[in-house]
Amino acid sequence: MSTPAQTSVTEVEDTSVLSALRSPRRLKTEVLAGLVVALALIPEAISFSIIAGVDPRVGLFASFTMAVTISIVGGRPAMISAATGAIALVVAPLSVEYGLDYLIAAVILGGILQIVLSVLGVAKLMRFIPRSVMVGFVNALAILIFTSQLPYLIGVPWLVYPMVAVGLVIMFFLPKLTTIVPAPLIAIVLLTAATIVFAFGVPDVGDEGELPSSLPSFLIPDVPYTLDTLSIIAPFALAIALVGLLESLMTAKLVDDITDSHSNKTREGWGQGVANLVTGFTGGMGGCAMIGQTMINVKVSGARTRISTFLAGLFLLILVVGLGDIVALIPMAALVAVMIMVSVGTLDWHSINPKTLRRMPKSETLVMVATVAVTVITHNLAYGVVVGVVTAMVLFARRVAHLTEVVDVAHPDEDTRVYAVKGELFFASSNDLVYQFDYVGDPNNVVIDMSDSHIWDASTVATLDAITTKYAAKGKTATIVGLNASSTERHDRLSGNLGNDH
């Protein structure tokens, strides 16, 4: 077993750019991984541009600037950020109604908000995301990656299907023979070569939209700098910031688990903001961590450093600007096969194994299913995560509430009865507490021993006030004893100051 010091050294070596540059084998892995990701980014960026209602070049430039910038300022090495479907869905109404300049202004403001939120510590909220939500997040991602490929498999020439099958076979069996070159890259090259040599009439990247022929340039959005403009873009900017941060931080945590390493979530958060600022000022549509491409980079290709992320952006620019005519010939079947393999590798198969489901508490399974269902229905991972977290909190509160009980423990004399309150007392568990005492039948002196309980909120203090008031109305005295220091401080500060005790 490795010591903590050894583990720390291993993590630094795994993600260090310098160590990768000193190792030809690792550098080759990073370079080829970046190339595969760049190829996979092209059709995705184009399709997200169409969703957002903008020119394909806007999505492609966003992917280039996001990837290159986040490789420098981000906190999670090897993670890919680019134009994404979630951000495209957020900005689409703004783009359609007000145009590209307003969209870019919203992206810039969204980047500023991401920096501010990250500095304020929003990354710390990740600790409140349960494992069952993470599992649902991963499974929903796998489903969305797969279903996003269906349009390329419906109503297409029959040759597409055997080409996809060949691509899947290559990627499944080639790693068993050699890992010198990433299997997805081999599949893309071979299927592209076959398409060109045999003149297959199948859809290709060129059919997805026009590729840019020039480099992105600095621009300032042409919008009125007024409060009216701010009122228009602010809601969209906030949505960009929150959705982008949530997806990026969730993806960073996922990569942490896969690589068994730790990343700086706060740096990743403000890094996403900086990347969106750069993207906005170069005419891009904004983005965040791209989970499918990150899985290609980390899980399929084995990349671990910032080199692969930087090169993914650089290769993307070279491919679409300098080699656009060649890239346009890549058959979509090859890229569909890559994404199908990513979806298969992303799904947590253990979590849906019948044996696992039988052992897992029903509440945990419900949280996972809720996360998956909402995500798949809305096509928005952020919505799914929020619903999953809320569901988990409600079920946890319900479960804890049932662990609270009131026990009649002693009768020191005929005029005294002692109750013991056991459990964690908060709004959900203390609401029924008031009904668990015999106000009419109890003797004149009632002692409520709270040694085995803890007061967490004002609702509980209000309930205890209501209990003592009800006893007083019957001419009896209720005394609360045994509070720990924290509960005593809260009770003394709030008791009698919460308004109506009934």
Side-chain angles (χ1 to χ4, degrees):
M1 181 178 293
S2 62
T3 65
Q6 290 172 327
T7 302
S8 177
V9 170
T10 300
E11 291 174 7
V12 171
E13 289 177 349
D14 282 346
T15 61
S16 168
V17 171
L18 289 178
S19 64
L21 291 174
R22 295 190 188 105
S23 169
R25 180 182 60 82
R26 289 188 57 195
L27 182 58
K28 181 202 68 178
T29 299
E30 299 292 322
V31 172
L32 294 178
L35 179 58
V36 173
V37 170
L39 291 169
L41 276 173
I42 295 171
E44 296 278 300
I46 294 173
S47 62
F48 295 150
S49 299
I50 294 170
I51 292 173
V54 296
D55 189 283
R57 287 171 287 192
V58 176
L60 289 166
F61 286 158
S63 295
F64 157 66
T65 53
M66 286 291 298
V68 169
T69 305
I70 204 66
S71 70
I72 299 169
V73 300
R76 174 63 259 180
M79 195 166 80
I80 304 296
S81 291
T84 61
I87 300 299
L89 289 171
V90 167
V91 301
L94 180 63
S95 171
V96 171
E97 187 170 353
Y98 292 98
L100 179 61
D101 284 297
Y102 278 82
L103 183 155
I104 293 172
V107 169
I108 293 171
L109 180 58
I112 294 171
L113 291 175
Q114 285 180 325
I115 294 172
V116 172
L117 289 171
S118 299
V119 171
L120 292 176
V122 71
K124 295 178 181 177
L125 296 177
M126 286 296 295
R127 71 184 68 176
F128 296 106
I129 298 180
R131 180 186 178 279
S132 51
V133 174
M134 277 297 299
V135 172
F137 172 81
V138 169
N139 290 342
L141 163 66
I143 294 171
L144 288 180
I145 291 174
F146 179 79
T147 55
S148 67
Q149 306 311 307
L150 295 180
Y152 303 112
L153 296 172
I154 298 173
V156 294
W158 68 269
L159 269 173
V160 168
Y161 304 109
M163 290 180 70
V164 171
V166 169
L168 293 174
V169 169
I170 292 173
M171 286 181 284
F172 183 80
F173 288 105
L174 185 61
K176 300 179 185 298
L177 302 176
T178 179
T179 56
I180 294 177
V181 180
L185 182 57
I186 295 296
I188 292 171
V189 170
L190 290 180
L191 290 175
T192 302
T195 301
I196 295 172
V197 171
F198 298 105
F200 292 151
V202 294
D204 54 33
V205 170
D207 296 327
E208 296 298 301
E210 183 182 355
L211 300 178
S213 57
S214 61
L215 297 175
S217 57
F218 178 81
L219 65 83
I220 296 177
D222 183 16
V223 297
Y225 293 93
T226 63
L227 289 178
D228 286 340
T229 300
L230 183 62
S231 67
I232 292 170
I233 67 173
F236 294 95
L238 182 60
I240 290 170
L242 295 178
V243 170
L245 282 175
L246 184 56
E247 290 212 22
S248 298
L249 295 176
M250 289 286 284
T251 306
K253 190 174 187 304
L254 180 60
V255 177
D256 288 352
D257 294 340
I258 292 172
T259 61
D260 194 24
S261 62
H262 178 69
S263 61
N264 187 330
K265 304 299 186 300
T266 297
R267 177 177 172 180
E268 181 59 40
W270 63 254
Q272 292 288 335
V274 172
N276 272 309
L277 279 176
V278 173
T279 298
F281 282 119
T282 52
M285 59 180 275
C288 61
M290 207 169 191
I291 307 166
Q293 272 63 25
T294 297
M295 291 300 100
I296 293 176
N297 196 46
V298 174
K299 204 166 186 179
V300 178
S301 302
R304 291 292 182 270
T305 77
R306 300 174 185 274
I307 296 174
S308 57
T309 307
F310 178 84
L311 290 179
L314 184 61
F315 283 147
L316 174 65
L317 187 67
I318 293 172
L319 288 170
V320 298
V321 175
L323 303 173
D325 292 340
I326 297 175
V327 170
L329 299 176
I330 297 175
M332 288 302 301
L335 300 176
V336 167
V338 171
M339 298 309 293
I340 290 175
M341 283 298 292
V342 170
S343 69
V344 171
T346 301
L347 189 73
D348 187 342
W349 294 97
H350 176 73
S351 69
I352 60 174
N353 186 302
K355 291 182 179 179
T356 303
L357 293 174
R358 282 194 295 269
R359 286 194 299 265
M360 192 68 63
K362 289 183 174 58
S363 59
E364 300 284 324
T365 302
L366 179 59
V367 171
M368 180 187 75
V369 171
T371 304
V372 172
V374 172
T375 301
V376 172
I377 291 171
T378 64
H379 283 236
N380 192 314
L381 288 160
Y383 291 162
V385 170
V386 170
V387 169
V389 170
V390 171
T391 303
M393 289 180 174
V394 171
L395 293 175
F396 174 75
R398 181 174 180 273
R399 188 164 62 250
V400 173
H402 285 82
L403 298 178
T404 303
E405 60 177 341
V406 177
V407 182
D408 182 356
V409 294
H411 298 260
D413 54 62
E414 63 179 16
D415 208 31
T416 304
R417 170 176 284 183
V418 179
Y419 288 100
V421 179
K422 302 179 180 181
E424 304 300 316
L425 299 175
F426 62 108
F427 64 89
S429 61
S430 63
N431 279 338
D432 293 334
L433 197 63
V434 72
Y435 304 114
Q436 298 186 43
F437 296 88
D438 187 0
Y439 303 101
V440 175
D442 279 345
N444 289 329
N445 297 313
V446 174
V447 178
I448 303 174
D449 185 359
M450 309 209 33
S451 301
D452 295 327
S453 62
H454 186 94
I455 296 176
W456 287 103
D457 61 4
S459 295
T460 302
V461 176
T463 297
L464 294 176
D465 284 352
I467 292 170
T468 57
T469 299
K470 285 180 179 293
Y471 274 116
K474 304 295 182 185
K476 303 173 183 181
T477 301
T479 306
I480 297 173
V481 300
L483 289 172
N484 58 37
S486 174
S487 298
T488 298
E489 188 277 330
R490 185 172 283 110
H491 183 266
D492 291 347
R493 176 161 45 89
L494 297 177
S495 182
N497 297 307
L498 297 173
N500 188 1
D501 295 327
H502 303 286

